[in-house]
Amino acid sequence: MGRGPHAPNADDAVVVHDEGSEDVRRLRPLTVLEHLTESTQPLTLAQLASLMSVPKSTLMRLLRAMEDQGYVLHLPAERGFVAGTRATTLALRTLRGSNMRRECRAVLRALVDKLGESCNLTVPDAGRVLYVERVETTEPLRMHLQPGTFVPMHCTASGKLFLSSMSLLERRRLLANLTLTRHSPRTLVDMEALEVELARNAKLGLGIDNEEFVRGMIAVAVPVLGEGSKAVAAIACHAPTARVSLDDLMAKVPSMRIAADAMRTILFPTPSA
């Protein structure tokens, strides 16, 4: 006896379930990248497996394939996984091909025109700072850095801003995985001295690089706030000490905060009613 057109079929139910599972499996690489980019520190295989509810053996095969293609990087000494250079390049290409990129550059261009010094949009990236966008000053003496460049956290204005905005536990976990490399005579490579400096930055609500990354270059960074008033990005301005003093740069902070508010509306637009 035939069934009606809407009668349930056990085989159909199995097929639907399998198709759904296959879709989930295909999306796993994107889920991996989401977790890695949202984390402030490398994630271990066990942590990723727990977050994704996936067996470690299955996830390890996926991570190896993604590492072979440059989408993830496995840090030595079991420190975990971070997003790879190919994932970063893909994200930058997506941003550059959108109206958002043009709007971000417009904010930076207006700020550079007002301040007279190079300005950058940066984000934290697994214990590093990533230059997402940048507008150069027209002055001949300047530091050249391309979007897509990574710089250290412990000795840059943006990096110190991101570190100072973290909880003490989160910051100490991250710093435990970082090597405090000396880049200039002023680089803070003593953990206690760095903690004191980060506490000072936190009170000011900004990040300061006083020739700590490059001798003769100073920088100040202000936060671009996301949900929960968390510093998810930064606008940084840097200049050579031959032209500008740190006090001069600090006097530009109010204009930088206005630009950061404008950048926030671009990165996190309010949904239309």
Side-chain angles (χ1 to χ4, degrees):
M1 185 174 175
R3 293 177 300 175
H6 300 294
N9 184 309
D11 292 336
D12 289 343
V14 170
V15 170
V16 170
H17 176 75
D18 287 345
E19 289 177 350
S21 298
E22 182 62 26
D23 287 342
V24 170
R25 284 194 289 270
R26 288 171 179 168
L27 290 173
R28 277 178 185 164
L30 295 179
T31 305
V32 168
L33 292 177
E34 283 183 344
H35 286 304
L36 293 181
T37 54
E38 288 172 359
S39 176
T40 58
Q41 57 190 353
L43 294 177
T44 65
L45 173 64
Q47 288 171 326
L48 279 169
S50 176
L51 288 168
M52 297 174 62
S53 300
V54 174
K56 287 194 287 187
S57 58
T58 301
L59 187 56
M60 190 67 239
R61 288 194 295 272
L62 172 60
L63 288 169
R64 284 173 178 165
M66 293 179 71
E67 184 177 17
D68 288 342
Q69 296 298 317
Y71 285 104
V72 302
L73 176 65
H74 190 192
L75 300 179
E78 301 301 321
R79 288 166 59 192
F81 293 86
V82 297
T85 55
R86 195 169 178 186
T88 301
T89 300
L90 177 61
L92 287 172
R93 285 176 177 171
T94 301
L95 177 60
R96 290 175 189 170
S98 68
N99 289 331
M100 181 182 291
R101 182 246 180 173
R102 289 188 289 274
E103 293 173 4
C104 290
R105 280 190 63 83
V107 171
L108 292 179
R109 168 54 63 195
L111 187 60
V112 171
D113 290 344
K114 185 170 186 178
L115 306 186
E117 301 296 344
S118 299
C119 293
N120 321 284
L121 174 64
T122 64
V123 295
D125 186 284
R128 304 167 295 179
V129 175
L130 171 64
Y131 277 67
V132 175
E133 196 52 84
R134 176 179 173 83
V135 173
E136 298 270 8
T137 178
T138 57
E139 295 285 349
L141 179 59
R142 60 183 185 267
M143 184 167 65
H144 297 275
L145 287 171
Q146 295 296 323
T149 299
F150 290 100
V151 296
M153 265 200 168
H154 68 287
C155 58
T156 57
S158 293
K160 289 165 70 179
L161 169 68
F162 296 137
L163 286 170
S164 66
S165 67
M166 297 176 186
S167 68
L168 183 60
L169 178 60
E170 183 181 20
R171 180 166 68 247
R172 286 182 174 172
R173 283 177 176 172
L174 179 58
L175 287 173
N177 289 316
L178 296 183
T179 300
L180 303 185
T181 303
R182 185 178 296 281
H183 292 270
S184 84
R186 290 179 176 265
T187 305
L188 296 176
V189 294
D190 178 77
M191 191 66 74
E192 291 186 7
L194 180 59
E195 286 283 7
V196 171
E197 172 67 4
L198 293 176
R200 183 173 77 93
N201 281 214
K203 288 182 179 179
L204 295 171
L206 45 78
I208 300 171
D209 168 11
N210 188 13
E211 299 187 68
E212 296 158 54
F213 182 41
V214 176
R215 184 184 299 190
M217 296 295 298
I218 54 176
V220 173
V222 300
V224 178
L225 302 177
E227 292 184 7
S229 295
K230 181 179 179 180
V232 295
I235 287 182
C237 177
H238 64 242
T241 55
R243 188 167 60 241
V244 176
S245 70
L246 188 56
D247 286 341
D248 293 333
L249 211 53
M250 292 290 286
K252 302 178 187 295
V253 166
S255 295
M256 294 175 63
R257 292 196 190 279
I258 292 172
D261 287 340
M263 194 70 75
R264 180 183 183 181
T265 64
I266 296 170
L267 298 177
F268 307 99
T270 303
S272 56

